Amino acid sequence: MATIRDVAKEAGVSVATVSRVLNDKGYIHEDTRKLVNEAIQKLNYKPNEVARSLYKKKSRLIGLLLPDIRNPFFPELARGVEDEMQEQGLHLIIGNADEKPEKEVEYIQTFKQNNVIGIISATNHADTTPYENLSFPVVFLDRTTNSHPSVYADGLDGGRKAAQEIIKRGSKRIAVLRGPNSVRTAQDRFKGAIEELCHANMDFHVISSSFSFSDAEKVAETLFEKYPDIDGVIASNDLSAAAILHEALRVGKSIPDDLQIIGYDDIPLSKLLFPPLSTIRQPAYDMGREAAKLLIKTIKNEPLPEKNIKLPVTFIERQTTRKVEKND
Amino acid sequence: MATIRDVAKEAGVSVATVSRVLNDKGYIHEDTRKLVNEAIQKLNYKPNEVARSLYKKKSRLIGLLLPDIRNPFFPELARGVEDEMQEQGLHLIIGNADEKPEKEVEYIQTFKQNNVIGIISATNHADTTPYENLSFPVVFLDRTTNSHPSVYADGLDGGRKAAQEIIKRGSKRIAVLRGPNSVRTAQDRFKGAIEELCHANMDFHVISSSFSFSDAEKVAETLFEKYPDIDGVIASNDLSAAAILHEALRVGKSIPDDLQIIGYDDIPLSKLLFPPLSTIRQPAYDMGREAAKLLIKTIKNEPLPEKNIKLPVTFIERQTTRKVEKND
């Protein structure tokens, strides 16, 4: 691989001159710049990013912090971030914080030590202390905060929509799964749902649950024992909806006749469930893209038309909810 | 944040001395080392990884190249790699190559420019040319090759097992989904399956398919039109098995009575399908861990007891296959 020395020799200039051309710093005669660029092309020289980053005090690395890439909502989100970053010549270091504050702090430290030029954080904790006083910008993703720029979906509206749609389709005894307390987006959708249920004078059960797989299975196993008469479930995400659907079929319920279920997220496999899951769709990929764009704008010191971007959610009607008459 | 200068001042030594202690290079008096380490602790000094990497020509970054993190097999794999690396104080830059050779080459270049100390590649192409003549080691994951260390699951045995189990349970008219031509692990499992089917003198259909979601849906939509009489499907992965299961239920087939289905991978959602999917399990998380261990050993120049590690696969019996009598 060609080095900066080879380029300097080929162009007949000093290494410092090549460096000035590369970093676009200081005065360079146009002819010299041309000579250097020709040498770079001829030798197919690729500057060492670490050396450049030290010189310019900048890298092309972005830190992306996720709760857990194994939750099927996050790969979509991460791809959205990656695709936008890649188009801008930036690269991702990814960390999974596992909803553990100490792991989150550790990864922020790691990102710092690797001279990232920005962080996108999609972790769940409301506390933003570890993100204060960093020398580079932070954008929160799938998480709302006033202290930093952020991109999130409209959870309050999502919860309302879920409740409206299940009520409209005739469920009377509804269970609402309340996602993790510490996750504001989960609480937003929960708030939206109970607001709407109260508004409609419905009775309902609140079931506490996390977003994790194994928890969803446990909740599903006891749900129909505890509440044998429920005819509707508003789940906190698609994973828990899938677990409940699965258990409902196992105990012989007919879906959607005996029980309607509405999920949240619209992860890729939701449409492959049987029956395919009706759900509230969060635009995960677009959220990732938007967060990347917002971070890049912040890094470039460009003005932000909106500091906190709220994306709309939509009801995806599939077959775990009944059809509604057109003239309802 | 404390700088190396602050540490030097606190310890009453030169910056060069602190640097020698940090990098464990050159002679240092034991008392001086103690003073420096105490100053580091007192000021909670974190060395800048980029500066260290340039000095030692080493970073603590590893490049991980995946086909697409959105395929639910890969988050498990990636977590296995990340968890092992994190325990060793190493960090991941992740890239998705999308089965595009030019994107693969681009990411290798990016990894190089960021001074990674190794690459784990789980991409699909058989060609290893872009990995030749790199200045750091490469480990292939979920991919077999003789030129480099690798970790993969026993695809040939997996295919055989799938065929044995479906034959044992009484399927007579079997469709085998053949995964992508360019993916050797897909071809291994396909070979294993047809070897066993031939051995048992069975007739069967071969259906070409990729691993992608949308492709699986298309294959599923036409499968029962083209072959209305099939009573068994050996799928190339769980995604395509889920698509087929879904379509089979839609056209009114009873599972597993009319049709048995065996998937491949055992992705987390397979057990949440209805009926839960019988499948061949690849130990994705462990494969990631093993690959990380193998790479770290290679980086440290430790001897490799095995250069190519083949992990076993297992048949996971769920409910898309019929029960087999104990005395069969």
Side-chain angles (χ1 to χ4, degrees):
Chain A
M1 204 165 78
T3 67
I4 193 166
R5 268 168 235 287
D6 300 332
V7 173
K9 205 172 152 196
E10 175 73 29
V13 301
S14 71
V15 167
T17 302
V18 177
S19 175
R20 285 208 304 283
V21 171
L22 286 172
N23 295 292
D24 209 12
K25 274 199 174 178
Y27 171 76
I28 316 268
H29 193 283
E30 217 28 67
D31 294 349
T32 313
R33 184 185 305 277
K34 213 179 140 204
L35 277 174
V36 170
N37 283 329
E38 279 166 5
I40 286 171
Q41 282 216 318
K42 185 176 167 195
L43 301 175
N44 190 25
Y45 168 68
K46 309 277 183 190
N48 179 308
E49 291 285 343
V50 176
R52 281 170 66 81
S53 113
L54 202 71
Y55 181 85
K56 302 171 73 179
K57 297 227 168 216
K58 277 195 175 176
S59 73
R60 305 191 71 77
L61 292 175
I62 302 288
L64 172 63
L65 205 48
L66 300 172
D68 187 350
I69 192 82
R70 288 174 298 185
N71 174 328
F73 179 67
F74 293 110
E76 291 287 318
L77 208 73
R79 268 314 294 258
V81 175
E82 187 197 357
D83 287 356
E84 181 69 28
M85 290 300 178
Q86 219 227 354
E87 286 169 20
Q88 306 292 326
L90 301 172
H91 318 296
L92 292 182
I93 315 184
I94 294 186
N96 290 290
D98 284 331
E99 314 203 9
K100 288 182 189 144
E102 68 279 11
K103 241 185 134 179
E104 186 167 352
V105 169
E106 219 175 286
Y107 266 116
I108 295 170
Q109 204 59 47
T110 296
F111 292 160
K112 230 153 89 176
Q113 288 171 6
N114 283 290
N115 279 5
V116 299
I117 54 172
I119 288 183
I120 293 179
S121 174
T123 58
N124 288 327
H125 294 279
D127 180 19
T128 59
T129 318
Y131 298 94
E132 307 303 335
N133 302 319
L134 295 175
S135 57
F136 44 78
V138 175
V139 165
F140 287 109
L141 174 54
D142 188 35
R143 168 171 163 172
T144 52
T145 170
N146 300 324
S147 62
H148 291 82
S150 65
V151 175
Y152 57 100
D154 192 344
L156 209 56
D157 185 51
R160 281 194 205 116
K161 283 204 165 96
Q164 282 162 4
E165 300 293 343
I166 210 164
I167 294 171
K168 202 199 286 183
R169 288 165 173 76
S171 285
K172 304 275 183 223
R173 296 167 305 279
I174 296 171
V176 186
L177 266 52
R178 186 171 59 76
N181 259 327
S182 56
V183 182
R184 184 156 151 205
T185 55
Q187 292 315 306
D188 281 350
R189 64 187 81 154
F190 172 66
K191 254 190 268 171
I194 59 170
E195 191 186 295
E196 199 64 31
L197 289 166
C198 292
H199 180 75
N201 284 318
M202 306 283 286
D203 292 342
F204 58 93
H205 306 288
V206 173
I207 319 284
S208 100
S209 74
S210 85
F211 279 163
S212 90
F213 231 76
S214 46
D215 256 30
E217 286 183 304
K218 274 177 230 149
V219 166
E221 273 168 30
T222 57
L223 185 69
F224 301 114
E225 287 173 23
K226 281 196 200 155
Y227 310 105
D229 65 336
I230 55 170
D231 65 355
V233 173
I234 297 175
S236 54
N237 63 358
D238 282 356
L239 279 189
S240 53
I244 296 214
L245 171 59
H246 186 248
E247 181 65 12
L249 292 171
R250 202 189 62 79
V251 300
K253 291 193 185 283
S254 165
I255 309 285
D257 296 333
D258 299 342
L259 180 78
Q260 301 193 94
I261 303 170
I262 296 188
Y264 206 98
D265 284 346
D266 196 26
I267 57 176
L269 274 184
S270 295
K271 63 172 176 216
L272 284 180
L273 294 174
F274 191 86
L277 185 68
S278 298
T279 190
I280 304 294
R281 177 166 206 275
Q282 296 203 76
Y285 182 85
D286 295 342
M287 288 164 71
R289 278 259 186 197
E290 284 301 323
K293 281 183 198 164
L294 199 57
L295 183 63
I296 292 167
K297 273 192 192 142
T298 312
I299 292 170
K300 290 186 178 166
N301 275 318
E302 287 176 10
L304 304 180
E306 282 177 290
K307 195 181 151 198
N308 302 103
I309 299 176
K310 179 162 73 177
L311 295 180
V313 298
T314 39
F315 174 59
I316 305 292
E317 180 172 19
R318 295 202 185 98
Q319 295 168 38
T320 56
T321 45
R322 297 189 279 270
K323 294 282 160 238
V324 77
E325 294 297 317
K326 280 274 183 273
N327 52 3
D328 256 17
Chain B
M1 206 165 78
T3 67
I4 194 165
R5 269 169 233 286
D6 299 333
V7 173
K9 206 172 155 198
E10 175 73 30
V13 301
S14 71
V15 167
T17 302
V18 178
S19 174
R20 283 208 306 281
V21 172
L22 285 172
N23 295 294
D24 210 13
K25 276 203 174 176
Y27 171 76
I28 316 270
H29 193 283
E30 217 28 67
D31 295 348
T32 313
R33 186 187 303 276
K34 216 181 137 200
L35 277 173
V36 169
N37 282 330
E38 279 167 5
I40 285 170
Q41 282 215 317
K42 185 176 167 194
L43 301 176
N44 189 25
Y45 168 69
K46 309 277 183 190
N48 179 306
E49 291 284 343
V50 175
R52 281 171 65 80
S53 114
L54 202 69
Y55 180 84
K56 302 170 73 180
K57 296 229 169 216
K58 276 193 177 178
S59 74
R60 304 191 71 77
L61 293 175
I62 302 288
L64 172 62
L65 206 48
L66 300 171
D68 187 351
I69 193 81
R70 289 175 297 187
N71 175 329
F73 179 66
F74 293 109
E76 291 287 317
L77 207 74
R79 267 315 292 261
V81 174
E82 187 196 358
D83 286 357
E84 182 69 29
M85 291 299 179
Q86 219 228 351
E87 286 168 21
Q88 305 293 327
L90 302 173
H91 317 297
L92 291 183
I93 316 184
I94 295 186
N96 290 291
D98 285 331
E99 315 202 9
K100 287 183 190 146
E102 69 278 11
K103 242 186 135 179
E104 187 166 353
V105 169
E106 219 175 284
Y107 265 115
I108 296 170
Q109 201 61 43
T110 296
F111 293 159
K112 231 153 87 176
Q113 287 171 6
N114 283 289
N115 279 6
V116 299
I117 55 173
I119 287 182
I120 294 180
S121 174
T123 57
N124 288 327
H125 293 278
D127 180 20
T128 60
T129 319
Y131 299 94
E132 308 303 335
N133 303 318
L134 295 175
S135 57
F136 45 77
V138 176
V139 165
F140 287 107
L141 173 54
D142 187 35
R143 165 170 165 172
T144 51
T145 170
N146 299 324
S147 60
H148 292 81
S150 64
V151 175
Y152 57 100
D154 192 343
L156 210 56
D157 185 50
R160 279 194 207 116
K161 282 202 164 98
Q164 282 162 4
E165 300 293 343
I166 210 164
I167 294 170
K168 202 199 285 181
R169 287 164 173 77
S171 285
K172 304 278 182 218
R173 295 167 305 279
I174 295 170
V176 186
L177 266 51
R178 184 170 61 76
N181 258 328
S182 55
V183 183
R184 185 159 147 203
T185 56
Q187 292 314 308
D188 281 351
R189 66 187 79 155
F190 172 68
K191 251 191 269 173
I194 60 170
E195 190 186 294
E196 200 62 31
L197 288 166
C198 292
H199 180 74
N201 284 318
M202 305 283 287
D203 293 342
F204 57 94
H205 306 288
V206 172
I207 319 285
S208 100
S209 75
S210 85
F211 278 163
S212 91
F213 231 77
S214 47
D215 256 29
E217 285 184 303
K218 273 177 231 149
V219 166
E221 273 169 30
T222 56
L223 185 69
F224 301 113
E225 285 174 25
K226 280 196 201 156
Y227 309 105
D229 67 333
I230 54 172
D231 64 356
V233 173
I234 297 174
S236 53
N237 64 356
D238 282 357
L239 278 189
S240 53
I244 297 216
L245 171 58
H246 185 249
E247 180 67 11
L249 292 171
R250 202 189 63 79
V251 301
K253 291 195 185 283
S254 165
I255 309 288
D257 296 334
D258 297 344
L259 181 77
Q260 300 194 96
I261 303 172
I262 296 187
Y264 206 98
D265 285 344
D266 196 25
I267 56 175
L269 275 184
S270 295
K271 64 172 176 218
L272 284 181
L273 294 173
F274 191 84
L277 185 68
S278 298
T279 190
I280 303 295
R281 179 168 203 276
Q282 297 202 78
Y285 182 85
D286 295 341
M287 288 164 71
R289 277 258 187 199
E290 285 301 324
K293 281 185 197 161
L294 199 57
L295 183 62
I296 292 166
K297 274 192 193 141
T298 312
I299 291 170
K300 290 184 177 167
N301 275 317
E302 287 176 10
L304 305 180
E306 284 176 290
K307 195 183 149 197
N308 302 101
I309 299 176
K310 180 162 73 178
L311 295 179
V313 298
T314 41
F315 175 59
I316 304 293
E317 180 172 17
R318 296 202 184 97
Q319 296 168 38
T320 56
T321 45
R322 298 188 278 269
K323 296 281 160 238
V324 76
E325 295 297 318
K326 281 271 184 272
N327 54 3
D328 257 17

